[in-house]
Amino acid sequence: MPDPRPSPSPARCASSVTIRELGPHDASEVQALYESLDDHDSYLRFFTTRPGRLSSVAEQATRHDPAHCGLGAFESGVLIGAANYVILDDPSTAELAMAVEHGHQQHGVGSELLARLTCLAERNGVRTFIAEVLAVNQTMLRVIAESGLPTTRRREGSAVHIEIRPPESGAST
């Protein structure tokens, strides 16, 4: 199902965005970002229009320990995007999640979050990201495809299971 909403204005540029690691003090801002998503973007991120327990999801996205890492994209001090990973049973594998406010999508914010999160992951020993993306989420599928990172994709019902392999240290890009 294509996105029926108008595309964001191309006048914005990701160059005015600051990206930094998130910490527990950012949980309320991440929760507010999630709550601000319209039904369509919420469905694309959470596979449901209004998920419960957003505070728990936001706390996990901002947890700062060896198994969790999160980044936020800020414009004029306002959080406009967040990406995080959570280490799975295999310590070299992590699940990836991301949300960008609709008006800032398709301006490089998600791409920059993915690139920076990939660098942090590689430094922390993560060799594979797992992402479950709805097949209708063409924006996120494009962000991953255009990242230049090696991926494998497998369709599973309405979702696409993607394995992303960040380059290892010293590998040429």
Side-chain angles (χ1 to χ4, degrees):
M1 167 171 96
D3 187 348
R5 298 163 305 162
S7 295
S9 164
R12 287 200 181 105
C13 177
S15 64
S16 64
V17 173
T18 301
I19 297 186
R20 67 166 173 80
E21 286 190 56
L22 296 171
H25 61 280
D26 296 306
S28 62
E29 287 182 83
V30 172
Q31 182 175 345
L33 171 68
Y34 293 160
E35 289 171 347
S36 75
L37 298 175
D38 65 23
D39 286 348
H40 184 80
D41 285 343
S42 183
Y43 177 70
L44 295 178
R45 166 60 180 86
F46 299 107
F47 292 35
T48 184
T49 55
R50 290 292 150 211
R53 301 180 32 218
L54 280 178
S55 61
S56 297
V57 177
E59 287 173 14
Q60 180 173 309
T62 58
R63 193 171 297 151
H64 194 73
D65 62 35
H68 301 83
C69 184
L71 294 176
F74 295 83
E75 184 176 66
S76 301
V78 177
L79 182 68
I80 60 168
N84 70 292
Y85 69 77
V86 177
I87 302 291
L88 301 176
D89 290 336
D90 173 354
S92 69
T93 303
E95 184 172 19
L96 167 71
M98 183 182 312
V100 175
E101 187 272 324
H102 185 74
H104 290 85
Q105 292 177 12
Q106 301 182 32
H107 298 290
V109 175
S111 297
E112 189 64 24
L113 284 167
L114 179 59
R116 300 231 189 147
L117 197 62
T118 298
C119 290
L120 286 172
E122 189 270 329
R123 280 187 268 166
N124 293 326
V126 173
R127 299 291 171 253
T128 304
F129 278 140
I130 303 295
E132 302 296 332
V133 180
L134 286 170
V136 297
N137 191 346
Q138 293 300 304
T139 301
M140 188 63 197
L141 293 171
R142 190 172 25 253
V143 165
I144 293 169
E146 291 176 358
S147 71
L149 298 169
T151 63
T152 58
R153 295 173 181 227
R154 182 176 68 248
R155 180 78 183 251
E156 295 178 354
S158 62
V160 179
H161 175 88
I162 304 172
E163 293 185 16
I164 306 164
R165 293 198 167 66
E168 294 186 30
S169 291
S172 60
T173 54

